[in-house]
Amino acid sequence: EVLQRRHCVVHNGALVSQQYIDKLKVVSDRPLKANLHERLPVDTAYLLKAADALFAVAFSLTWAVGVQLNPDAEWADALLEDLANQTMDLLHEGRYEVVIHLVEAAPLARMTSERAEAASMVLKVNRWIAYRDSGRFDSVRAEVEQFRVLTLENTWKLAKLALLGEDDQGCDLA
């Protein structure tokens, strides 16, 4: 949609074209909310959403290509760690939907080395934080409650306690 909207802005005076309608029907299962010759807004909110969508595509491509094309497991693990850590930066920027999307699209089940498993846990926790900070924690609360931390480092135990709002226990552990 971002690329098609760009085409309309540049080549059609920001008005919906038949080509825009036809292309979006092919790539989206959601009903189109724009009519032919209607002006397509390109405001700050839209640009932020578009930037997040493009970032998610770039992130996913980096992930897929980096892991698939590099036979060196150590290098792939380092890439996964770096990408997982980038989700923390996105959280600090308040880009919760991007974090949720990236983690939900990530192949976490295939992350089996010790380093990759740690990166997978970082991703999961960051996803839960994104849900919490966007006001939708109840949709993942059961996942957090089921997060098995008994044999894990205290960092993970503390993360679980903080997410569940168990501040007294968290302070004792810290």
Side-chain angles (χ1 to χ4, degrees), residues 75-120:
W75 187 91
D77 285 348
L79 173 66
L80 295 174
E81 284 177 345
D82 184 56
L83 294 174
N85 290 333
Q86 284 186 25
T87 60
M88 181 56 76
D89 295 335
L90 293 168
L91 287 174
H92 288 299
E93 295 170 7
R95 296 168 71 184
Y96 308 124
E97 293 306 316
V98 176
V99 173
I100 291 167
H101 173 76
L102 291 173
V103 177
E104 290 177 353
L108 300 181
R110 293 193 319 218
M111 297 171 69
T112 55
S113 73
E114 188 175 324
R115 284 176 70 187
E117 281 186 40
S120 174

Side-chain angles (χ1 to χ4, degrees), residues 2-172:
V2 172
L3 297 176
Q4 293 307 314
R5 186 173 297 217
R6 177 251 174 228
H7 295 326
C8 284
V9 169
V10 171
H11 302 293
N12 205 36
L15 300 178
V16 173
S17 65
Q18 188 61 50
Q19 183 179 8
Y20 175 84
I21 292 170
D22 294 344
K23 294 267 185 173
L24 290 188
K25 283 181 183 176
V26 171
V27 297
S28 178
D29 56 354
R30 293 181 290 177
L32 187 61
K33 296 181 181 178
N35 299 312
L36 188 62
H37 305 301
E38 181 179 315
R39 183 161 301 281
L40 289 169
V42 182
D43 56 11
T44 302
Y46 175 78
L47 289 174
L48 290 172
K49 185 176 177 182
D52 285 349
L54 292 173
F55 182 87
V57 169
F59 191 99
S60 297
L61 285 173
T62 302
W63 182 297
V65 171
V67 172
Q68 293 295 328
L69 295 182
N70 194 314
D72 183 353
E74 186 174 324
W75 187 91
D77 285 348
L79 173 66
L80 295 174
E81 284 177 345
D82 184 56
L83 294 174
N85 290 333
Q86 284 186 25
T87 60
M88 181 56 76
D89 295 335
L90 293 168
L91 287 174
H92 288 299
E93 295 170 7
R95 296 168 71 184
Y96 308 124
E97 293 306 316
V98 176
V99 173
I100 291 167
H101 173 76
L102 291 173
V103 177
E104 290 177 353
L108 300 181
R110 293 193 319 218
M111 297 171 69
T112 55
S113 73
E114 188 175 324
R115 284 176 70 187
E117 281 186 40
S120 174
M121 286 196 293
V122 168
L123 288 166
K124 288 176 188 176
V125 169
N126 287 349
R127 176 179 164 263
W128 295 330
I129 292 169
Y131 271 104
R132 182 199 64 196
D133 290 356
S134 66
R136 298 177 293 152
F137 185 68
D138 286 342
S139 61
V140 294
R141 177 179 288 281
E143 288 178 46
V144 176
E145 290 170 346
Q146 293 171 6
F147 183 37
R148 303 219 182 271
V149 295
L150 188 61
T151 61
L152 299 177
E153 295 176 9
N154 286 344
T155 303
W156 304 112
K157 295 172 186 173
L158 189 57
K160 179 177 180 176
L161 292 170
L163 282 162
L164 294 173
E166 297 176 10
D167 297 338
D168 291 340
Q169 287 179 307
C171 285
D172 290 346

